Amino acid sequence: SGFADGEAKTVQINKNGNIYEFRMVVKTGIEQEQEYIDAGKLVSAELSSNVFNGAQVDVHFCDKNLKTLKVLTMGRNKNFNGVQLFYTSTITETEANLLGNYLINSGFADGNEKTVQINKNGNTYEFRMTVETGIEQDQEYINTGKLASAEFSSNVFNGAQVDIHLCDENFNTLKV
């Protein structure tokens, strides 16, 4: 992946129950910088997908003694016909499977690579989808998102509110 680039780094792998921990020493203060937090979340997702067969991987930013300063997680994930579906601890595996199967049956999961995340905030489900910057301004795309919100609510989540978040590649919301 390019992580081992010849520069000295200290990392540790640990397993705590069913969760893998990728622990790495960082310079003091980096654990507060959004750029590095976003990068750590992506490392979590990539390790989960490419190394640990979809298991949850938490990235720990640590001090020089491997004491945890900050824990980052992208959540668990599953692949549904090209759609990489990440789901947080607020979502059950059953809910993730229901959504993933709906994405296949609706044609959204069409074999082309897409990255989405489902989260629950209170009683509201958040369907977060990475999009190219600028598309969040496209009214036709926004209307399609509103339609998807209603379909997810009625066909997957028993009428609960579903907000669609159009996000950058780090799952930062561009538009709800």
Side-chain angles (χ1 to χ4, degrees):
S1 69
F3 183 82
D5 59 4
E7 278 192 44
K9 295 178 175 78
T10 301
V11 298
Q12 179 186 60
I13 192 73
N14 187 44
K15 189 171 183 188
N16 188 354
N18 291 329
I19 300 172
Y20 290 92
E21 297 175 349
F22 181 77
R23 305 170 59 75
M24 63 189 240
V25 173
V26 297
K27 293 179 185 173
T28 304
I30 281 184
E31 76 279 3
Q32 301 301 322
E33 294 185 32
Q34 193 60 49
E35 173 186 356
Y36 292 100
I37 292 169
D38 292 342
K41 288 179 180 180
L42 287 178
V43 167
S44 168
E46 289 173 0
L47 287 171
S48 174
S49 295
N50 300 323
V51 179
F52 296 110
N53 201 28
Q56 183 170 338
V57 178
D58 292 346
V59 171
H60 289 241
F61 284 170
C62 301
D63 67 13
K64 64 183 178 180
N65 297 314
L66 286 169
K67 179 183 174 203
T68 300
L69 302 170
K70 187 172 199 79
V71 179
L72 309 168
T73 184
M74 184 58 92
R76 299 159 291 166
N77 70 82
K78 293 180 170 225
N79 191 298
F80 293 90
N81 196 27
V83 173
Q84 195 69 22
L85 171 64
F86 292 93
Y87 56 107
T88 66
S89 61
T90 62
I91 300 295
T92 66
E93 186 170 3
T94 300
E95 289 172 316
N97 287 332
L98 285 170
L99 177 60
N101 291 328
Y102 180 79
L103 295 176
I104 290 171
N105 294 333
S106 70
F108 180 84
D110 58 5
N112 293 314
E113 288 187 24
K114 297 177 182 89
T115 305
V116 300
Q117 180 189 58
I118 189 71
N119 181 50
K120 192 172 183 186
N121 188 353
N123 293 324
T124 301
Y125 289 89
E126 299 173 340
F127 181 83
R128 307 173 70 77
M129 183 171 122
T130 60
V131 297
E132 292 181 26
T133 304
I135 199 103
E136 76 278 4
Q137 302 301 323
D138 183 315
Q139 193 57 50
E140 187 176 330
Y141 206 85
I142 292 168
N143 291 340
T144 301
K146 290 178 181 178
L147 205 76
S149 171
E151 289 179 12
F152 292 160
S153 175
S154 62
N155 296 317
V156 180
F157 298 116
N158 296 318
Q161 181 174 335
V162 178
D163 292 343
I164 305 290
H165 290 241
L166 303 179
C167 302
D168 66 16
E169 68 273 1
N170 296 316
F171 285 112
N172 295 312
T173 300
L174 303 170
K175 185 166 190 79
V176 179

Coordinates of all heavy atoms in Angstrom, one line a residue, residues 57-126:
V57 N -11.6 -3.0 12.4 CA -10.2 -2.6 12.7 C -10.2 -1.2 13.2 O -10.7 -0.3 12.6 CB -9.3 -2.7 11.4 CG1 -7.9 -2.2 11.8 CG2 -9.3 -4.1 10.8
D58 N -9.7 -1.0 14.4 CA -9.6 0.3 15.0 C -8.1 0.7 14.9 O -7.2 -0.1 15.2 CB -9.9 0.3 16.5 CG -11.4 0.0 16.7 OD1 -12.2 0.1 15.8 OD2 -11.8 -0.2 17.9
V59 N -7.9 1.9 14.4 CA -6.5 2.5 14.4 C -6.3 3.3 15.6 O -7.2 4.1 16.0 CB -6.3 3.3 13.1 CG1 -5.0 4.1 13.2 CG2 -6.4 2.5 11.8
H60 N -5.3 3.0 16.3 CA -4.9 3.7 17.6 C -3.7 4.6 17.3 O -2.7 4.1 16.9 CB -4.5 2.7 18.7 CG -5.7 2.0 19.2 ND1 -6.0 2.1 20.5 CD2 -6.5 1.1 18.7 CE1 -7.1 1.3 20.8 NE2 -7.4 0.7 19.6
F61 N -3.9 5.9 17.4 CA -2.8 6.9 17.4 C -2.2 6.8 18.8 O -2.9 7.0 19.8 CB -3.2 8.3 17.0 CG -3.6 8.5 15.6 CD1 -4.2 9.7 15.2 CD2 -3.2 7.6 14.6 CE1 -4.4 9.9 13.9 CE2 -3.5 7.8 13.3 CZ -4.1 9.0 12.9
C62 N -0.9 6.5 18.9 CA -0.2 6.3 20.2 C 0.9 7.2 20.4 O 1.6 7.7 19.4 CB 0.2 4.8 20.3 SG -1.1 3.6 20.1
D63 N 1.3 7.4 21.7 CA 2.5 8.1 22.0 C 3.7 7.1 21.8 O 3.5 6.0 21.5 CB 2.5 8.7 23.4 CG 2.5 7.7 24.5 OD1 2.7 6.5 24.3 OD2 2.2 8.1 25.7
K64 N 4.9 7.6 22.1 CA 6.1 6.8 21.9 C 6.2 5.5 22.7 O 6.9 4.6 22.4 CB 7.4 7.6 22.1 CG 7.6 8.1 23.5 CD 8.8 8.9 23.7 CE 8.9 9.4 25.1 NZ 10.1 10.3 25.3
N65 N 5.3 5.4 23.7 CA 5.3 4.2 24.6 C 4.1 3.3 24.2 O 3.7 2.5 25.0 CB 5.2 4.6 26.1 CG 6.4 5.4 26.5 OD1 7.5 5.0 26.2 ND2 6.2 6.5 27.2
L66 N 3.5 3.6 23.1 CA 2.3 2.9 22.6 C 1.1 3.0 23.5 O 0.2 2.2 23.5 CB 2.6 1.4 22.3 CG 3.5 1.2 21.0 CD1 3.9 -0.3 21.0 CD2 2.7 1.5 19.8
K67 N 1.0 4.2 24.2 CA -0.2 4.5 25.0 C -1.1 5.2 24.0 O -0.8 6.1 23.3 CB 0.2 5.4 26.1 CG -1.0 5.8 26.9 CD -0.7 6.8 28.1 CE -2.0 7.2 28.7 NZ -1.8 8.5 29.4
T68 N -2.4 4.7 24.0 CA -3.4 5.3 23.0 C -3.7 6.7 23.3 O -4.0 7.1 24.5 CB -4.7 4.4 23.1 OG1 -4.3 3.1 22.7 CG2 -5.7 5.0 22.1
L69 N -3.6 7.6 22.3 CA -4.0 9.0 22.3 C -5.4 9.1 21.7 O -6.2 10.0 22.2 CB -3.0 9.8 21.6 CG -1.6 9.8 22.0 CD1 -0.7 10.5 21.1 CD2 -1.4 10.4 23.4
K70 N -5.7 8.4 20.7 CA -7.0 8.5 20.0 C -7.3 7.2 19.2 O -6.4 6.6 18.7 CB -7.0 9.7 19.0 CG -8.3 10.0 18.4 CD -8.2 11.3 17.6 CE -9.5 11.9 17.3 NZ -10.1 12.6 18.4
V71 N -8.5 6.8 19.2 CA -8.9 5.6 18.5 C -9.8 6.0 17.3 O -10.7 6.8 17.5 CB -9.7 4.6 19.4 CG1 -10.2 3.4 18.6 CG2 -8.9 4.2 20.6
L72 N -9.5 5.5 16.2 CA -10.2 5.8 15.0 C -10.8 4.5 14.4 O -10.1 3.5 14.4 CB -9.3 6.4 13.9 CG -8.5 7.6 14.4 CD1 -7.4 7.9 13.4 CD2 -9.4 8.8 14.6
T73 N -12.1 4.6 14.0 CA -12.7 3.4 13.4 C -13.5 3.8 12.2 O -14.2 4.8 12.3 CB -13.5 2.6 14.4 OG1 -13.9 1.4 13.8 CG2 -14.6 3.4 15.0
M74 N -13.5 3.0 11.2 CA -14.4 3.2 10.1 C -15.6 2.3 10.2 O -16.6 2.5 9.6 CB -13.7 2.8 8.8 CG -14.5 3.1 7.5 SD -15.0 4.8 7.3 CE -13.7 5.5 6.4
G75 N -15.5 1.4 11.1 CA -16.7 0.5 11.4 C -16.4 -0.8 10.6 O -15.5 -1.0 9.9
R76 N -17.4 -1.7 10.7 CA -17.3 -3.0 10.0 C -17.8 -2.7 8.6 O -18.4 -1.7 8.3 CB -18.3 -4.0 10.7 CG -17.8 -4.2 12.2 CD -18.9 -4.8 13.0 NE -19.9 -3.7 13.2 CZ -21.2 -3.9 13.6 NH1 -21.6 -5.1 13.9 NH2 -22.0 -2.9 13.8
N77 N -17.5 -3.7 7.7 CA -17.9 -3.5 6.3 C -18.2 -4.8 5.7 O -17.7 -5.9 6.1 CB -16.9 -2.7 5.5 CG -15.6 -3.4 5.3 OD1 -15.5 -4.2 4.4 ND2 -14.6 -3.2 6.1
K78 N -19.0 -4.8 4.6 CA -19.3 -5.9 3.8 C -19.4 -5.4 2.3 O -19.7 -4.3 2.1 CB -20.7 -6.5 4.2 CG -20.7 -7.1 5.5 CD -22.1 -7.7 5.8 CE -22.0 -8.5 7.1 NZ -22.7 -9.8 6.9
N79 N -19.1 -6.3 1.4 CA -19.2 -6.0 0.0 C -20.5 -6.6 -0.6 O -20.8 -7.8 -0.4 CB -18.0 -6.5 -0.8 CG -18.0 -5.9 -2.2 OD1 -18.8 -6.1 -3.0 ND2 -16.9 -5.1 -2.4
F80 N -21.3 -5.8 -1.2 CA -22.5 -6.2 -1.9 C -22.4 -5.9 -3.3 O -22.7 -4.8 -3.7 CB -23.8 -5.6 -1.2 CG -24.0 -6.0 0.2 CD1 -23.5 -5.3 1.2 CD2 -24.8 -7.1 0.4 CE1 -23.7 -5.7 2.5 CE2 -25.1 -7.5 1.7 CZ -24.5 -6.8 2.8
N81 N -22.0 -6.8 -4.2 CA -21.9 -6.7 -5.6 C -21.2 -5.4 -6.0 O -21.7 -4.6 -6.8 CB -23.3 -6.8 -6.2 CG -23.2 -7.0 -7.7 OD1 -22.2 -7.6 -8.2 ND2 -24.2 -6.6 -8.5
G82 N -20.0 -5.1 -5.4 CA -19.3 -3.9 -5.7 C -19.5 -2.8 -4.8 O -18.7 -1.8 -4.8
V83 N -20.5 -2.8 -4.0 CA -20.7 -1.7 -3.0 C -20.1 -2.1 -1.7 O -20.4 -3.1 -1.1 CB -22.3 -1.4 -2.8 CG1 -22.5 -0.4 -1.7 CG2 -22.9 -0.9 -4.1
Q84 N -19.1 -1.3 -1.3 CA -18.4 -1.5 0.0 C -19.3 -0.8 1.0 O -19.4 0.5 1.0 CB -17.0 -0.9 -0.1 CG -16.1 -1.4 1.0 CD -15.8 -2.9 1.0 OE1 -15.9 -3.5 0.0 NE2 -15.5 -3.4 2.1
L85 N -20.0 -1.5 1.8 CA -20.9 -1.0 2.8 C -20.3 -1.0 4.2 O -20.0 -2.1 4.7 CB -22.2 -1.7 2.8 CG -23.2 -1.4 4.0 CD1 -23.7 0.0 3.9 CD2 -24.4 -2.4 4.0
F86 N -19.9 0.2 4.7 CA -19.4 0.3 6.1 C -20.6 0.5 7.0 O -21.5 1.3 6.6 CB -18.4 1.4 6.1 CG -17.1 1.2 5.4 CD1 -17.0 1.6 4.1 CD2 -16.1 0.5 6.0 CE1 -15.8 1.4 3.4 CE2 -14.9 0.2 5.3 CZ -14.8 0.7 3.9
Y87 N -20.5 -0.1 8.2 CA -21.6 0.1 9.1 C -21.0 0.3 10.5 O -20.1 -0.4 10.9 CB -22.7 -0.9 9.1 CG -22.3 -2.4 9.3 CD1 -22.6 -3.0 10.4 CD2 -21.6 -3.1 8.3 CE1 -22.3 -4.4 10.6 CE2 -21.3 -4.4 8.4 CZ -21.6 -5.0 9.6 OH -21.3 -6.4 9.8
T88 N -21.5 1.3 11.2 CA -21.0 1.6 12.5 C -21.5 0.7 13.6 O -22.4 -0.1 13.3 CB -21.3 3.1 12.9 OG1 -22.7 3.2 13.0 CG2 -20.8 4.1 11.8
S89 N -21.1 0.9 14.8 CA -21.6 0.1 15.9 C -23.0 0.4 16.3 O -23.6 -0.4 17.0 CB -20.7 0.4 17.2 OG -20.8 1.7 17.5
T90 N -23.6 1.4 15.7 CA -25.0 1.7 15.9 C -25.9 0.9 15.0 O -27.2 1.0 15.2 CB -25.3 3.2 15.7 OG1 -25.0 3.5 14.3 CG2 -24.5 4.1 16.6
I91 N -25.3 0.2 14.1 CA -26.1 -0.6 13.1 C -25.8 -2.1 13.4 O -24.7 -2.5 13.5 CB -25.6 -0.3 11.7 CG1 -25.9 1.2 11.4 CG2 -26.3 -1.2 10.6 CD1 -27.3 1.6 11.4
T92 N -26.9 -2.9 13.4 CA -26.7 -4.4 13.6 C -26.3 -5.0 12.2 O -26.5 -4.4 11.2 CB -28.0 -5.0 14.0 OG1 -29.0 -4.9 13.0 CG2 -28.5 -4.4 15.3
E93 N -25.7 -6.2 12.3 CA -25.3 -6.9 11.1 C -26.6 -7.2 10.3 O -26.6 -7.1 9.1 CB -24.6 -8.2 11.5 CG -24.1 -8.9 10.2 CD -23.1 -10.0 10.5 OE1 -22.9 -10.3 11.7 OE2 -22.6 -10.6 9.6
T94 N -27.7 -7.5 11.0 CA -29.0 -7.7 10.3 C -29.4 -6.5 9.4 O -29.8 -6.6 8.3 CB -30.1 -8.1 11.3 OG1 -29.7 -9.3 11.9 CG2 -31.4 -8.4 10.6
E95 N -29.3 -5.3 10.1 CA -29.7 -4.1 9.3 C -28.8 -3.9 8.1 O -29.2 -3.5 7.1 CB -29.6 -2.9 10.3 CG -30.7 -2.8 11.3 CD -30.5 -1.8 12.3 OE1 -29.4 -1.6 12.8 OE2 -31.5 -1.1 12.6
A96 N -27.5 -4.1 8.3 CA -26.5 -4.0 7.2 C -26.8 -4.9 6.1 O -26.8 -4.5 4.9 CB -25.1 -4.2 7.7
N97 N -27.2 -6.2 6.4 CA -27.5 -7.1 5.4 C -28.8 -6.8 4.7 O -28.9 -6.9 3.5 CB -27.7 -8.5 6.0 CG -26.3 -9.1 6.4 OD1 -25.3 -8.8 5.8 ND2 -26.3 -10.0 7.4
L98 N -29.8 -6.3 5.4 CA -31.1 -5.8 4.8 C -30.8 -4.7 3.8 O -31.3 -4.7 2.7 CB -32.1 -5.4 5.9 CG -32.7 -6.4 6.7 CD1 -33.5 -5.8 7.9 CD2 -33.7 -7.2 5.8
L99 N -30.0 -3.7 4.2 CA -29.7 -2.6 3.3 C -28.9 -3.1 2.1 O -29.2 -2.8 1.0 CB -28.9 -1.5 4.1 CG -28.4 -0.4 3.2 CD1 -29.6 0.3 2.5 CD2 -27.6 0.6 4.0
G100 N -27.8 -3.9 2.4 CA -27.0 -4.5 1.3 C -27.8 -5.2 0.3 O -27.7 -5.1 -1.0
N101 N -28.7 -6.1 0.7 CA -29.5 -6.9 -0.2 C -30.5 -6.0 -0.9 O -30.8 -6.2 -2.1 CB -30.3 -8.0 0.6 CG -29.3 -9.1 1.1 OD1 -28.3 -9.3 0.4 ND2 -29.6 -9.6 2.2
Y102 N -31.0 -4.9 -0.3 CA -31.9 -4.0 -1.0 C -31.1 -3.3 -2.1 O -31.6 -3.0 -3.2 CB -32.5 -3.0 0.0 CG -33.4 -2.0 -0.7 CD1 -34.7 -2.4 -1.1 CD2 -32.9 -0.8 -1.1 CE1 -35.5 -1.5 -1.8 CE2 -33.8 0.1 -1.8 CZ -35.0 -0.3 -2.1 OH -35.8 0.6 -2.8
L103 N -29.8 -2.9 -1.8 CA -29.0 -2.2 -2.8 C -28.8 -3.1 -4.0 O -28.8 -2.6 -5.1 CB -27.7 -1.8 -2.2 CG -27.8 -0.8 -1.1 CD1 -26.4 -0.5 -0.5 CD2 -28.4 0.5 -1.6
I104 N -28.7 -4.4 -3.8 CA -28.5 -5.3 -4.9 C -29.9 -5.4 -5.7 O -29.9 -5.2 -6.9 CB -28.1 -6.7 -4.4 CG1 -26.7 -6.7 -3.9 CG2 -28.3 -7.8 -5.5 CD1 -26.2 -8.0 -3.2
N105 N -31.0 -5.6 -5.0 CA -32.3 -5.8 -5.6 C -32.7 -4.6 -6.3 O -33.5 -4.7 -7.3 CB -33.3 -6.3 -4.6 CG -33.0 -7.7 -4.1 OD1 -32.4 -8.5 -4.7 ND2 -33.5 -7.9 -2.8
S106 N -32.4 -3.4 -5.8 CA -32.8 -2.1 -6.5 C -31.9 -1.8 -7.7 O -32.3 -0.9 -8.4 CB -32.7 -1.0 -5.5 OG -31.4 -0.7 -5.1
G107 N -30.8 -2.5 -7.9 CA -29.9 -2.2 -9.0 C -28.8 -1.2 -8.6 O -27.9 -0.9 -9.5
F108 N -28.8 -0.6 -7.4 CA -27.8 0.3 -7.0 C -26.4 -0.4 -7.0 O -25.4 0.1 -7.4 CB -28.1 0.9 -5.7 CG -27.1 1.9 -5.2 CD1 -27.1 3.2 -5.6 CD2 -26.1 1.5 -4.3 CE1 -26.1 4.1 -5.1 CE2 -25.1 2.4 -3.8 CZ -25.1 3.7 -4.2
A109 N -26.4 -1.6 -6.4 CA -25.2 -2.5 -6.4 C -25.2 -3.2 -7.7 O -25.7 -4.3 -7.8 CB -25.3 -3.4 -5.2
D110 N -24.5 -2.6 -8.7 CA -24.6 -3.1 -10.1 C -23.2 -3.7 -10.5 O -23.0 -3.9 -11.7 CB -25.0 -2.0 -11.0 CG -24.1 -0.8 -11.0 OD1 -23.1 -0.8 -10.3 OD2 -24.4 0.2 -11.6
G111 N -22.3 -4.0 -9.6 CA -21.0 -4.5 -9.9 C -19.9 -3.4 -10.0 O -18.8 -3.7 -10.0
N112 N -20.4 -2.1 -10.1 CA -19.4 -1.0 -10.1 C -19.1 -0.7 -8.7 O -19.9 -0.7 -7.8 CB -20.0 0.2 -10.9 CG -20.2 -0.1 -12.3 OD1 -19.3 -0.6 -13.0 ND2 -21.4 0.3 -12.9
E113 N -17.8 -0.3 -8.5 CA -17.4 0.0 -7.1 C -18.0 1.3 -6.6 O -18.0 2.3 -7.3 CB -15.8 0.2 -7.1 CG -15.1 -1.1 -7.3 CD -13.6 -1.0 -7.1 OE1 -13.2 -0.1 -6.4 OE2 -12.9 -1.9 -7.6
K114 N -18.6 1.2 -5.4 CA -19.2 2.4 -4.7 C -18.8 2.2 -3.3 O -18.7 1.1 -2.8 CB -20.7 2.4 -4.9 CG -21.1 2.6 -6.4 CD -22.7 2.6 -6.5 CE -23.1 2.8 -7.9 NZ -23.3 1.5 -8.6
T115 N -18.7 3.3 -2.5 CA -18.5 3.2 -1.1 C -19.5 4.0 -0.4 O -19.8 5.2 -0.6 CB -17.1 3.8 -0.8 OG1 -16.1 3.2 -1.6 CG2 -16.7 3.7 0.7
V116 N -20.2 3.3 0.6 CA -21.3 3.9 1.4 C -21.1 3.5 2.8 O -20.3 2.5 3.1 CB -22.7 3.4 0.9 CG1 -22.9 3.9 -0.6 CG2 -22.9 2.0 1.0
Q117 N -21.7 4.2 3.7 CA -21.7 3.9 5.1 C -23.1 4.1 5.7 O -23.8 5.1 5.3 CB -20.7 4.8 5.8 CG -20.6 4.6 7.3 CD -19.8 5.6 8.1 OE1 -20.1 6.8 8.0 NE2 -18.7 5.2 8.7
I118 N -23.5 3.3 6.6 CA -24.8 3.5 7.3 C -24.5 3.7 8.8 O -23.7 3.0 9.4 CB -25.8 2.3 7.0 CG1 -27.2 2.6 7.6 CG2 -25.2 1.0 7.5 CD1 -27.9 3.7 6.8
N119 N -25.2 4.6 9.4 CA -25.0 5.0 10.8 C -26.4 5.3 11.3 O -27.3 5.6 10.5 CB -24.1 6.2 10.9 CG -23.8 6.6 12.3 OD1 -23.5 5.8 13.2 ND2 -24.0 7.9 12.6
K120 N -26.6 5.2 12.6 CA -27.8 5.6 13.2 C -27.5 6.7 14.2 O -26.7 6.5 15.1 CB -28.5 4.4 13.8 CG -30.0 4.7 14.2 CD -30.7 3.4 14.6 CE -32.1 3.7 14.9 NZ -32.8 2.5 15.4
N121 N -28.2 7.8 14.1 CA -28.0 8.9 15.1 C -29.4 9.1 15.7 O -30.3 9.7 15.1 CB -27.5 10.1 14.3 CG -27.1 11.3 15.2 OD1 -27.3 11.2 16.4 ND2 -26.6 12.3 14.7
G122 N -29.5 8.7 16.9 CA -30.9 8.7 17.6 C -31.8 7.8 16.8 O -31.5 6.6 16.7
N123 N -32.9 8.3 16.3 CA -33.8 7.4 15.6 C -33.7 7.6 14.1 O -34.5 7.1 13.3 CB -35.3 7.8 16.0 CG -35.6 7.4 17.4 OD1 -35.1 6.3 17.9 ND2 -36.4 8.2 18.1
T124 N -32.7 8.4 13.7 CA -32.5 8.7 12.2 C -31.3 7.9 11.7 O -30.2 7.9 12.2 CB -32.2 10.2 12.0 OG1 -33.3 10.9 12.6 CG2 -32.0 10.5 10.6
Y125 N -31.6 7.2 10.6 CA -30.5 6.5 9.9 C -29.8 7.5 9.0 O -30.5 8.3 8.4 CB -31.1 5.3 9.0 CG -31.6 4.2 9.9 CD1 -32.9 4.1 10.4 CD2 -30.7 3.1 10.2 CE1 -33.3 3.1 11.1 CE2 -31.1 2.1 11.0 CZ -32.4 2.0 11.5 OH -32.8 1.0 12.3
E126 N -28.5 7.4 8.9 CA -27.7 8.2 8.0 C -27.1 7.3 6.9 O -26.2 6.5 7.3 CB -26.6 9.0 8.8 CG -27.2 9.9 9.8 CD -26.1 10.5 10.7 OE1 -25.0 10.0 10.7 OE2 -26.4 11.5 11.3

